[in-house]
Amino acid sequence: METNFTHHQSAHCENGVASNLLKHNGLNISEPMVFGIGSGLFFVYLPFIKVNYAPAISYRPLPGLIFNRLAKRLGIKIKRQKFSNEASATKALDEKLKNNIPSGLQVGVYNLTYFPDEYRFHFNAHNLVVYGKTDTDYLISDPVMEHVTTLTHQELNKVRFAKGAFAPKGQMYYPIEIPKNVDFKSAIIKGIKTTCRDMLAPVPIVGVKGIRFVAKQIRKWPIKNGTKKANHYLAQMVRMQEEIGTGGGGFRFIYAAFLEEASGILENNELKNLSKEMTVIGDLWRDFAVEASRVYKNRSTKADVYNTIADQLLYIADQEEAFFKKLKKAIS
């Protein structure tokens, strides 16, 4: 069983799966447009939840929310299913493949055998597409990979039923209805408004305020927890930013591409200017990640390093607050 599915590499798994599935079903939509309409740019700090023994930091909304928002705003219907056991999950997937319906799956990363070892850890919000099956393998289009790949039947079951936070429970999804004419203009405006609302939220752990809150915590980490634990927390923050689901800098670059594309659709030149500004902010996030990695790898020669990177983060927060206020005004 194999569908005629075209694989496109992307920067982020959920955007890529959504874009690839919709393209397969006749709606030509780019990864940045998926991300922007789905309001994928986000920040939240959850110190009461631990991921790999460090406070949880997310640069994206909950798994599935980007595609769900996109679908709602474009009038697309998506079918989502979860399963209580491997047998029923396998049966449902195989039925879709028999009917030439590629399906998106949420999976755990740790047992993805085609990932390099350094990227395989306990994270259960990765997305991929299964587009076919042989006697021994499932045919996999993982959008963060350059080429299509495979997983054995046993390997796919293992990642579909990974344990822990955000356990996927065999989750499978695919579009079942796409309108002939979609209103990109209103969807783009709704997507931007939600992102501005989230990033300017009056909540101490969300958006710009959340970034500032983390900066304050970074100053306290070495004093409160000791250098070893502080470095582990920093390493986890950078991993969430740069490796798991793209995060900080990468997401800003995708959002910049979205704003550039949106400026043409909305005939709004201010969005093109803001696209360039967001690219600069993305560079600031990358600079922060480099500096933080030097600290936790003990390579930084700067005195008072934790305060230095905290200052970097506060500067990013200031830039983002000004940016999202301008963006909100540009589409009002």
Side-chain angles (χ1 to χ4, degrees), residues 159-179:
V159 296
R160 291 185 78 184
F161 285 88
K163 307 298 183 189
F166 301 118
K169 298 178 181 176
Q171 183 171 171
M172 179 173 84
Y173 56 92
Y174 46 90
I176 55 173
E177 188 178 316
I178 300 174

Side-chain angles (χ1 to χ4, degrees), residues 223-266:
I223 300 163
K224 185 178 177 182
N225 302 303
T227 302
K228 187 177 180 181
K229 188 176 278 190
N231 284 349
H232 174 67
Y233 286 3
L234 264 186
Q236 179 66 5
M237 182 179 180
V238 172
R239 175 179 265 187
M240 294 299 288
Q241 178 186 322
E242 297 297 330
E243 295 173 10
I244 304 176
T246 308
F251 273 179
R252 270 71 189 167
F253 300 138
I254 298 171
Y255 202 73
F258 159 68
L259 290 176
E260 184 169 7
E261 194 174 341
S263 72
I265 296 170
L266 297 180

Side-chain angles (χ1 to χ4, degrees), residues 109-110 112-121 144-145 239:
V109 166
Y110 188 75
L112 284 179
T113 50
Y114 56 80
F115 265 25
D117 287 346
E118 59 268 25
Y119 288 109
R120 291 172 60 185
F121 46 91
V144 302
M145 304 298 288
R239 175 179 265 187

Side-chain angles (χ1 to χ4, degrees), residues 93 110 135 146 186 189 293 298:
L93 177 60
Y110 188 75
D135 289 341
E146 188 175 355
S186 67
I189 291 169
S293 68
N298 297 315

Side-chain angles (χ1 to χ4, degrees), residues 41-45 69 192-213 317 320-325 328:
L41 198 69
F42 189 62
F43 185 91
V44 63
Y45 177 62
R69 284 170 170 169
I192 290 173
K193 284 183 174 178
T194 298
T195 299
C196 291
R197 183 201 69 198
D198 290 346
M199 293 305 293
L200 297 172
V203 182
I205 60 171
V206 173
V208 169
K209 287 186 180 292
I211 297 169
R212 290 196 177 106
F213 190 81
E320 294 218 341
E321 182 176 24
F323 172 87
F324 285 109
K325 284 179 177 177
K328 186 179 179 181

